[in-house]
Amino acid sequence: MSALIELDGVRKTYRSGSLEVEALRGIDVRIDEGEYVAVIGPSGSGKSTLMNLLGCLDLPTEGRYVLAGEDTSSLDEAALAAIRNRRIGFVFQQFHLLPSMTAWRNVELPLVYAGLPRPERRERAIAALARVGLGDRVDHRPGELSGGQQQRVAVARALVTEPALLLADEPTGNLDSGSTRDVLELLDELHGSGRTIVLITHEPDVAARARRNLVIDDGVITVDRLTGAGASA
Ligand code: ADP
Ligand code: MG
C-alpha cells in the first residue's frame, strides 16, 4: 500500500495576543490508501485542529504534511484550494447543505467550482446520490429529508469529485441511532470499495467500526491500534 497521508513532526500553535495554545505538539503518522481510520480523544485534545490540517484548511506551525506525494507546506492559498476541491471530500456534523437547493443541486456544487459543464454535473450528482441510496430523492430539498438522509446527501457531495480522501468530523454527532447505523453502513461500503476514510468521533461505538483508531490526547497521539475487522484481518 502506498502512503496517502504523511505527517512529520507536525505542530500547531494558535496565537491570539499574548496567549498561545499548543493544539498539536508533534504528530507523526502515516495513513495508507484504502485505510479507514477513526481519530478519537476528549474535547479540546486537538481532533478538529488535526482535521483542519489534513483537509488543507489550515497549515501546521511546524512540520510537514505530504498528501498523495505532494508536500503541502510550500503551497499558496490557491494551490491549497485546488487540493481541497480535487483530492478531499468533507463531511461535517451539521451537514452544511444549502436549504433552498434540491439534493442534486447541493451535490453538484463541488463540480461547479471545478468548472464542469452542467449536463455532466447533473449526471454525476445523480449517480452519487444513487450510490448513497437516494436515487429517488434527487429533487427533494434538505427540509424534506430526514437527518440521516441529509447526511447521506452530504456524503454524496463529498464523493462527487472522486476524492482520494474522505474526511468526516463527527458525522453522526447529530443523528439518532437508526440514522447513525445508516451512515456507518455507508462508510463501511465506501471503505469496502477502496475509499480512504478519516473520521473524527468521540463515540467509542462509531470508532469501533473503523479498522484503525488513533487516540489523541493533549495534542499528541497516545494510542495507534487496529480495531474490529482490522485487528482480526
Ligand atoms: P477537539 O476538536 O479535540 O475538541 P480542537 O482541535 O478544537 O479540539 O482544539 C484543541 C485546542 O486548541 C483547544 O485547547 C482549543 O481551545 C484550541 N483552539 C482550537 N481552535 C483555536 C483557535 N482558532 N484559536 C485559538 N485556540 C484554538
Ligand atoms: Mg472538535
Side-chain angles (χ1 to χ4, degrees), residues 96-174:
H96 291 312
L97 300 175
L98 297 175
S100 64
M101 286 191 176
T102 60
W104 84 263
R105 295 291 306 279
N106 269 285
V107 172
E108 72 153 356
L109 273 180
L111 303 179
V112 175
Y113 302 135
L116 263 71
R118 184 167 164 128
E120 187 179 343
R121 295 196 314 253
R122 184 175 157 84
E123 193 177 313
R124 284 178 59 173
I126 288 174
L129 283 164
R131 182 146 179 226
V132 302
L134 291 176
D136 55 350
R137 294 286 189 280
V138 300
D139 290 319
H140 283 56
R141 290 189 168 74
E144 300 161 348
L145 298 168
S146 72
Q149 289 172 333
Q150 289 182 58
Q151 193 58 303
R152 283 192 277 155
V153 172
V155 173
R157 181 185 53 191
L159 292 176
V160 76
T161 55
E162 297 290 331
L165 173 63
L166 183 66
L167 276 181
D169 195 350
E170 300 279 1
T172 60
N174 272 1

Side-chain angles (χ1 to χ4, degrees), residues 50-58 65 80 84 88 90 167:
L50 181 62
M51 162 111 173
N52 290 342
L53 295 183
L54 292 178
C56 293
L57 295 161
D58 204 355
Y65 172 27
L80 290 172
R84 285 196 297 272
I88 304 170
F90 294 93
L167 276 181

Side-chain angles (χ1 to χ4, degrees), residues 31-46:
I31 296 174
D32 287 341
E33 276 170 27
E35 282 201 79
Y36 181 3
V37 179
V39 177
I40 51 182
S43 175
S45 57

